[in-house]
Amino acid sequence: MDIQEYFARISYRGSHNKPDLATMSDIFQHHIQAVPFENLSIHCGESIELDLEATYNKIVRKKRGGWCMENNNLLSWVLKTLGYDVTLLGAKVYVPELDTYPEEMDHLLLQVQLDGKSYIVDGGFGMAYQLWQPMELISGTDQPQTPGVFRFQEESGTWYLEKVKRKQCVLNQSTSSSHDVENEVCRRVYLFTLQPRDIEEFRGCNAHLQTAPDSLFVTKSICSLQTADGIRALVGWKLTEIKYNYRDNMDLVEIRIIADEEMEKTLKEKFNITLDKKFVPINTSRLSLF
């Protein structure tokens, strides 16, 4: 594994001599705009491995994306290589339709200690709840970013991430989700504690999420990528493109349905992904990702 090869993969040409906040933020921004959040392996007959070298080969050399345990494990290696103090943390992702959190952790994120402050770095959530910058770990303070206003709330040692959402202008409403998100102002994203984790603790979670019949990642094929001014996401056959804050605190949303014969071209043109095996899209879950 070579840090310069990783920098080439994310088109990062900036400085990396000093492990400071500006450098970390810049690398992070390049990562999320180059490496998709995706679970396509599950839907083209591949297994998702937690081995760091396998993840490196998949994301850096094959120019694929990955989910949280791949993206953030790779980012942990990158930041540690550059001299940052990185700790793995485990989270539980909020399920809005059930208004609850799962019993077991199902998300990997990073804590970075820097100049006496603590930051959460999460390059593996994807969709419209993907952070665009590292967030300082402080409770009750709004931290505005391009996707919206994020904030942490801490209660008895448990930290909650929330995002304040903008109104949406959907160009073709007929293809929009049936989930009533229009009236939802603030969305809980996940909860976590500051207990340090080891990547080995995520092996069960990694296996469960790609095999359990009721797993979101089994019932939905997902590929999302942050862009210069928003996000694009392919869920099943539905391609959603969002331009953040295009006017009056409103996001512009455009949705279209991709035909099977367009799928390979769409993955290449919109996400720079070429798959080795036949991809079978799926979207049988009613859970909303927006």
Side-chain angles (χ1 to χ4, degrees), residues 48 73 102 108 156 160 175 190 205:
I48 297 174
N73 195 26
L108 168 68
S156 304
Y160 298 83
T175 53
Y190 51 67
C205 163

Side-chain angles (χ1 to χ4, degrees), residues 29 51 70 88 120 139 163 170 203 210 250 256 267:
Q29 187 76 33
D51 177 71
E70 296 172 289
L88 303 186
I120 293 299
S139 180
K163 179 189 176 186
V170 183
R203 291 206 179 275
Q210 58 185 306
M250 185 174 287
R256 66 185 180 95
L267 285 172

Side-chain angles (χ1 to χ4, degrees), residues 17-213:
N17 298 324
K18 185 180 179 184
D20 55 18
L21 180 59
T23 300
M24 179 168 69
S25 299
D26 199 8
I27 291 171
F28 181 79
Q29 187 76 33
H30 278 77
H31 183 101
I32 63 172
Q33 289 189 26
V35 182
F37 173 88
E38 53 106 334
N39 70 338
L40 304 181
S41 291
I42 298 172
H43 305 288
C44 59
E46 300 171 348
S47 62
I48 297 174
E49 301 177 50
L50 271 194
D51 177 71
L52 180 58
E53 291 194 7
T55 299
Y56 178 94
N57 188 55
K58 176 182 177 182
I59 292 177
V60 177
R61 297 201 171 123
K62 292 189 173 182
K63 294 182 168 53
R64 286 282 303 279
W67 59 11
C68 66
M69 288 165 280
E70 296 172 289
N71 271 296
N72 285 332
N73 195 26
L74 181 62
L75 271 173
S76 173
W77 169 77
V78 169
L79 294 175
K80 286 178 179 177
T81 299
L82 298 177
Y84 291 91
D85 180 1
V86 184
T87 302
L88 303 186
L89 301 179
K92 300 177 181 180
V93 177
Y94 178 68
V95 183
E97 286 77 6
L98 304 176
D99 189 26
T100 190
Y101 297 90
E103 290 292 319
E104 303 293 333
M105 64 182 185
D106 58 355
H107 184 62
L108 168 68
L109 63 156
L110 309 177
Q111 179 184 17
V112 178
Q113 302 286 352
L114 186 61
D115 297 330
K117 295 181 179 180
S118 185
Y119 295 88
I120 293 299
V121 177
D122 186 355
F125 199 84
M127 305 301 291
Y129 298 94
Q130 173 61 56
L131 304 179
W132 274 29
Q133 284 92 33
M135 281 184 66
E136 187 176 353
L137 190 63
I138 47 177
S139 180
T141 299
D142 287 354
Q143 299 189 50
Q145 298 188 7
T146 301
V149 177
F150 292 96
R151 62 175 171 244
F152 292 122
Q153 301 284 0
E154 187 268 339
E155 298 175 16
S156 304
T158 298
W159 292 80
Y160 298 83
L161 174 65
E162 302 173 340
K163 179 189 176 186
V164 179
K165 301 172 67 175
R166 298 188 188 97
K167 294 187 185 316
Q168 293 187 338
C169 173
V170 183
L171 293 182
N172 32 359
Q173 192 72 45
S174 61
T175 53
S176 184
S177 169
S178 59
H179 176 56
D180 183 21
V181 297
E182 285 75 16
N183 297 321
E184 185 181 51
V185 177
C186 182
R187 165 74 74 91
R188 285 178 275 177
V189 183
Y190 51 67
L191 65 78
F192 61 97
T193 70
L194 303 184
Q195 179 182 344
R197 302 288 184 178
D198 185 271
I199 192 64
E200 294 299 320
E201 296 179 70
F202 292 89
R203 291 206 179 275
C205 163
N206 185 68
H208 175 81
L209 290 178
Q210 58 185 306
T211 56

Side-chain angles (χ1 to χ4, degrees), residues 249-261:
N249 197 38
M250 185 174 287
D251 296 337
L252 182 67
V253 182
E254 186 171 5
I255 300 169
R256 66 185 180 95
I257 304 302
I258 305 299
D260 283 333
E261 57 268 22

Side-chain angles (χ1 to χ4, degrees), residues 263-280:
M263 197 62 68
E264 185 177 327
K265 179 183 176 185
T266 301
L267 285 172
K268 179 61 179 175
E269 291 183 352
K270 295 291 187 179
F271 304 96
N272 195 30
I273 282 182
T274 301
L275 297 172
D276 295 332
K277 299 182 180 179
K278 181 173 173 54
F279 168 52
V280 181

